Amino acid sequence: MKQIYQQTPEEVLKHVNSRESGLTGEEVKKAREIYGWNELAEGKKKSIPQIFFEQYRDFLVLILIASAIISGALGDMESALVILIVITINAILGTVQTIKAEQSLQSLKTLAGPEAKVSRDGRVVQLPARELVIGDIILLEAGDMIPADGRLIENASLKLDESALTGESLAVEKSLDTLSAEVPLGDRTNMLFSGSFVTYGRGRAVVTAIGMQTEVGKIAGLLKSTSEKQTPLQVNLEAFGKKLSILILLFCGILFALSVFRGEQPGNAFLFAVALAVAAIPEALSSIVTIVLSFGTQKMAKEHAIIRKLQAVEGLGSVSIICSDKTGTLTQNKMTVEDYYIDEKRIPASAIDVMDPAQRYLLNCSILCNDSTNENGVEIGDPTETALINLGSRCGIHAAEVRSAYPRNGELPFDSERKMMSTLHKIDGENRLIVKGAVDCLLERTEQIWTKDGVREMTADDKEKIQKQNQKFSMEGLRVLAFTYRPLPEEHLLTAEDENHLIFLGLIAMMDPPREESKAAVAECIRAGIRPVMITGDHKITAAAIAKRIGILQDLSEACEGTDIEHLSDEELKSLVPNISVYARVSPEHKIRIVRAWQERGMIVAMTGDGVNDAPALKQADIGVAMGITGTEVAKDAAAMVLTDDNFATIVKAVENGRNVYRNIKYAIQFLLSGNFGAILTVLCASIAGFPVPFAPVHLLFINLLTDSLPAIALGVEPHSSEVMKEKPRAAGESILTKDFLNKIGLEGLVIGIMTMVGFLTGYHQNGALLGSTYAFGTLCLSRLFHGFNCKSDHPVLFTSRFFHNKWLLGAFALGAVLITAVLTLPSLHLLFKVESLNLTQLGQVYLYAVTSLLLIQALKWIRMKLKKNGEHNGSK
């Protein structure tokens, strides 16, 4: 069967059981029973309990819940309670953040749906677009939103902005002509699509699809079949949690067996093994990561980015490819005059001189032969015409004043066959017809040319120069209008014949220009090792011109069209993508394939966009970024992040933010694991040597709650640095636990473990097991507090300003030091915490051992840094 656009208007009307006068009320009722309402099916929203319980799916959290149940069953209610409190706080934080993000996004949504003018029962009525049915006849004029898909049945110079659907920034001229062949969406010139709007002219159409059957609805359906991606951090933490939990459980099993072998009661040995597992598993990690990411979202919200999915903060920091839509993302989505060409001179728009009579006359002509308006910032009309009005405003010339001085006395409206428009005015005492239109069409009708020396006959050489300039403009992606005029007799009745014997005045070239900040943002991406790629529905030459101006494209060979990849297999496309920086005339399916091809190459991909056509690719990408102002609701719902200022440069800030967040999370993990490793080494060393266990379960709980959590959170909000943008993005499969990272954890944990064991032996030899346990507890707590400063950087920070620049870490250290000092010295706390009272000398020894661990680790960092520098120096020789 033929497609709708391949049928005549009469065939379409018959196909949908309608007529030119419209449907009757009874017919509407029947059609609604068959087709339903004209609305997109809304995805099922998750309830608050659902979001809350989803926070418990993490493997580490499940291990901790099991530990809490075992601790409670064995009578250790304090441990069970602490574990449950920590993981519940984490779940609440995650839930609140998710709900807050959805509420922030909801505030961006427009509540009012579009309305439509419809022929019903032989008269024109205005009603909500939701009530349209297939077969309805809709009436359209400039400024109207298209409420459903339809076939044009009447056309008076109709032009539509379809950028939300196709990505093409220029208005599309519509036609009644029946198309014989199958063509892409953007070339179906006799069809109207829901979500686009009328910029010029008027017309009537018969509704052929509503709701989920429209082109917009099909894209919404594509979203359902596109799976969301886990961010690199989610993948990393999941794998990390499983490996760590298994290692710790194995270790605790060995320790339990050792204790029983040495004659310990199985119940007590098991209880301590569980307590040690709780101490060794960084249960605060999930909470700390959530808190750090939440701080990241708050910072980004102030920088015009709403994070819908918490993990996207860090995910943005690890992207290696940004696939960006052009229209409205890299460009302003607003046609703007770039150049004049008059009297054989090319003049940039910024250099136009309104005091020059020729330039002023061309400007006046462009305002007079023009149907658009811009009143109080509200633009109505074709984007190319509003660009001409806006140029006048920038030059201090107001359209209303020019039109008042030279009223329109007649007109020949634009139509797609003539490709021109004419208006009649009284200028300088004579009747003048101003004609604007396509360069080739007007040159055929032009006989004379305006020059600074007066009007003269146009020569073949003149025409060749104009055509060459027009070609040059076109190769730069500019849209060109020619302006001509001719004098006419007084009281003349205009006909199409008057658009001959014209005098050439000049050319005006315009384009949808790049955002001012796009070039700098693209350069910053490239410096940070991120590859920017443009994916657009616009034409190849236009897309390539923009890409070249902002630094994405170096050579035209790096650009291709959707048809070039249409018949490529996934493997062939995977091989092609590294060589292509610009994809033009692409469909939503192409966008998804391009994103997948990069992902299959092991890249972490961000996709930015604002149109409905971008939504499936936004969801497929590792990080989808939608525009908040110009973005469609479908795009926003599919994205992980929404930019409230529609600014591409905000993405670069987000990348920097994400890299800093990831770095800070690594600092927090390094702090937690090295400290926990120190504790495990102390227990293991004491067990093997036959000494009593150095810690009571209450000691481990104290460490978890105070000397772990607060400094780790403080490290998570370590002040951000722009230095992270000098690094290359990490590989998609790179684990947090790299060999280098594990070496650092092991070495730092070893130092803390040695100093804690020294403390234990000091107390043990002075006055037995209880004092030894007190020394070990105090040394481990204080060593871990001091260790927070070690984890601020891979370089030594002692005796530098960086040692003091995190007020939260200083506060966490001070609070922890006061609390542990109180526990070690106040007799009223001794029974609760199972410690002995320390005098000032003993307390001084504990502090000395802790400070020594700090100095040793700082010295090891200095040695490591020197060795690395020497290695780099030798390697460069």
Side-chain angles (χ1 to χ4, degrees), residues 634-758:
V634 182
K636 290 176 199 170
D637 286 340
M641 182 171 95
V642 179
L643 304 182
T644 59
D645 62 352
D646 284 16
N647 190 334
F648 182 80
T650 303
I651 300 164
V652 181
K653 286 183 199 167
V655 168
E656 184 180 315
N657 211 325
R659 288 189 179 187
N660 275 293
V661 165
Y662 184 74
R663 183 201 63 178
N664 290 354
I665 287 171
K666 280 193 81 169
Y667 287 164
I669 291 171
Q670 182 182 342
F671 170 79
L672 290 169
L673 294 190
S674 50
N676 286 6
F677 186 54
I680 289 169
L681 282 177
T682 306
V683 173
L684 187 62
C685 189
S687 296
I688 291 169
F691 289 111
V693 175
F695 307 112
V698 71
H699 296 163
L700 300 173
L701 291 174
F702 183 92
I703 291 165
N704 263 348
L705 279 175
L706 297 166
T707 56
D708 265 12
S709 302
L710 296 179
I713 291 168
L715 282 167
V717 292
E718 182 76 8
H720 287 189
S721 163
S722 58
E723 289 296 302
V724 292
M725 294 303 277
K726 292 177 182 175
E727 301 164 8
K728 298 296 177 193
R730 67 184 186 276
E734 183 184 301
S735 169
I736 290 176
L737 299 179
T738 59
K739 186 180 176 183
D740 184 57
F741 191 56
L742 285 171
N743 285 340
K744 280 190 281 189
I745 288 168
L747 198 57
E748 290 165 9
L750 180 63
V751 172
I752 292 169
I754 289 169
M755 294 318 299
T756 304
M757 199 63 202
V758 168

Side-chain angles (χ1 to χ4, degrees), residues 361 423-425 427-428 430-434 485-487:
Y361 184 41
T423 57
L424 186 65
H425 307 266
I427 300 173
D428 295 339
E430 71 174 5
N431 245 8
R432 286 188 195 170
L433 183 71
I434 301 168
Y485 72 99
R486 65 169 291 191

Side-chain angles (χ1 to χ4, degrees), residues 1-12 150-152 162 172-193 416 585:
M1 182 183 161
K2 290 193 292 187
Q3 299 289 337
I4 295 291
Y5 59 84
Q6 294 175 303
Q7 299 176 32
T8 64
E10 294 75 19
E11 287 173 327
V12 175
R151 167 65 158 96
L152 205 57
E162 296 178 348
V172 179
E173 291 175 19
K174 291 297 173 179
S175 162
L176 286 174
D177 296 344
T178 303
L179 302 172
S180 56
E182 287 199 17
V183 292
L185 193 72
D187 296 325
R188 295 174 193 171
T189 50
N190 57 19
M191 296 293 293
L192 314 179
F193 302 111
S416 53
R585 300 305 272 172

Side-chain angles (χ1 to χ4, degrees), residues 612-625:
V612 174
N613 61 320
D614 299 316
L618 289 175
K619 192 174 178 184
Q620 172 64 37
D622 297 286
I623 306 292
V625 184

Side-chain angles (χ1 to χ4, degrees), residues 176-384:
L176 286 174
D177 296 344
T178 303
L179 302 172
S180 56
E182 287 199 17
V183 292
L185 193 72
D187 296 325
R188 295 174 193 171
T189 50
N190 57 19
M191 296 293 293
L192 314 179
F193 302 111
S194 177
S196 50
F197 65 91
V198 182
T199 62
Y200 188 87
R202 61 184 188 278
R204 289 194 307 147
V206 56
V207 174
T208 56
I210 60 170
M212 293 299 285
Q213 279 68 53
T214 62
E215 292 300 326
V216 168
K218 288 174 188 173
I219 291 171
L222 255 184
L223 290 171
K224 293 180 182 177
S225 62
T226 307
S227 58
E228 287 185 16
K229 295 282 175 188
Q230 281 191 312
T231 67
L233 184 66
Q234 286 174 307
V235 174
N236 260 321
L237 285 179
E238 203 171 286
F240 162 70
K242 285 177 182 175
K243 287 175 188 172
L244 184 66
S245 301
I246 291 163
L247 278 171
I248 288 168
L249 291 174
L250 281 171
F251 173 76
C252 291
I254 293 164
L255 192 69
F256 170 72
L258 271 173
S259 299
V260 172
F261 179 73
R262 289 176 52 212
E264 189 88 29
Q265 285 290 325
N268 290 340
F270 187 75
L271 189 60
F272 184 77
V274 169
L276 187 64
V278 171
I281 292 174
E283 65 264 31
L285 181 60
S286 294
S287 302
I288 288 159
V289 169
T290 305
I291 290 164
V292 173
L293 292 174
S294 296
F295 275 117
T297 63
Q298 288 170 27
K299 181 174 169 58
M300 290 174 74
K302 289 173 189 170
E303 294 172 354
H304 310 291
I306 291 174
I307 300 297
R308 295 189 63 240
K309 294 160 189 172
L310 197 58
Q311 308 287 352
V313 179
E314 175 278 331
L316 267 163
S318 58
V319 296
S320 45
I321 305 291
I322 297 181
C323 293
S324 177
D325 179 44
K326 175 183 74 68
T327 308
T329 308
L330 291 165
T331 67
Q332 298 172 21
N333 199 16
K334 184 177 182 179
M335 292 298 286
T336 306
V337 172
E338 294 275 311
D339 290 282
Y340 269 15
Y341 176 76
I342 189 166
D343 198 20
E344 298 185 12
K345 291 197 296 281
R346 179 175 179 168
I347 304 164
S350 57
I352 290 169
D353 180 8
V354 292
M355 302 310 290
D356 180 287
Q359 294 176 44
R360 176 61 189 265
Y361 184 41
L362 180 56
L363 182 63
N364 283 351
C365 287
S366 71
I367 291 170
L368 294 170
C369 190
N370 189 322
D371 287 332
S372 70
T373 60
N374 184 352
E375 297 294 332
N376 302 317
V378 178
E379 296 178 359
I380 297 175
D382 184 83
T384 56

Side-chain angles (χ1 to χ4, degrees), residues 412-658:
L412 294 169
F414 175 89
D415 72 47
S416 53
E417 286 182 21
R418 285 165 37 247
K419 294 189 185 301
M420 62 186 74
M421 167 188 180
S422 303
T423 57
L424 186 65
H425 307 266
K426 193 77 170 272
I427 300 173
D428 295 339
E430 71 174 5
N431 245 8
R432 286 188 195 170
L433 183 71
I434 301 168
V435 187
K436 77 166 184 206
V439 179
D440 293 342
C441 294
L442 286 190
L443 279 182
E444 289 172 5
R445 299 165 180 249
T446 303
E447 295 175 353
Q448 294 175 291
I449 185 168
W450 184 95
T451 71
K452 63 177 182 297
D453 300 320
V455 176
R456 62 168 172 79
E457 291 298 309
M458 179 176 270
T459 65
D461 187 48
D462 291 327
K463 284 193 177 183
E464 191 180 343
K465 283 178 182 174
I466 293 166
Q467 283 168 334
K468 275 186 178 175
Q469 186 58 57
N470 179 42
Q471 193 174 19
K472 196 173 179 184
F473 280 144
S474 298
M475 290 305 293
E476 292 174 23
L478 297 166
R479 182 170 188 185
V480 188
L481 285 174
F483 282 82
T484 61
Y485 72 99
R486 65 169 291 191
L488 286 175
E490 295 287 335
E491 306 299 324
H492 182 75
L493 187 66
L494 278 182
T495 68
E497 285 301 309
D498 294 319
E499 293 177 326
N500 291 301
H501 316 297
L502 302 171
I503 302 165
F504 180 80
L505 181 58
L507 305 177
I508 297 181
M510 60 191 80
M511 76 185 310
D512 175 13
R515 290 175 174 271
E516 286 179 19
E517 61 282 349
S518 288
K519 188 171 184 177
V522 166
E524 183 72 14
C525 282
I526 293 167
R527 273 197 300 276
I530 300 165
R531 169 90 179 265
V533 176
M534 181 191 285
I535 305 179
T536 178
D538 214 335
H539 293 281
K540 182 177 173 179
I541 288 176
T542 308
I546 292 288
K548 219 165 189 177
R549 282 173 67 164
I550 60 177
I552 288 177
L553 188 76
Q554 302 305 319
D555 190 82
L556 198 59
S557 63
E558 296 171 33
C560 75
E561 291 191 339
T563 50
D564 298 329
I565 63 172
E566 184 76 45
H567 303 295
L568 293 181
S569 68
D570 288 346
E571 275 303 311
E572 288 169 330
L573 183 58
K574 187 176 161 184
S575 301
L576 177 73
V577 288
N579 307 316
I580 302 295
S581 297
V582 173
Y583 298 86
R585 300 305 272 172
V586 292
S587 68
E589 290 86 352
H590 294 147
K591 292 184 182 187
I592 290 178
R593 286 190 67 205
I594 294 162
V595 170
R596 278 186 188 145
W598 276 116
Q599 287 171 334
E600 284 167 15
R601 293 187 69 90
M603 300 297 181
I604 296 168
V605 183
M607 171 77 196
T608 75
D610 61 349
V612 174
N613 61 320
D614 299 316
L618 289 175
K619 192 174 178 184
Q620 172 64 37
D622 297 286
I623 306 292
V625 184
M627 304 295 127
I629 300 170
T630 58
T632 57
E633 298 314 315
V634 182
K636 290 176 199 170
D637 286 340
M641 182 171 95
V642 179
L643 304 182
T644 59
D645 62 352
D646 284 16
N647 190 334
F648 182 80
T650 303
I651 300 164
V652 181
K653 286 183 199 167
V655 168
E656 184 180 315
N657 211 325

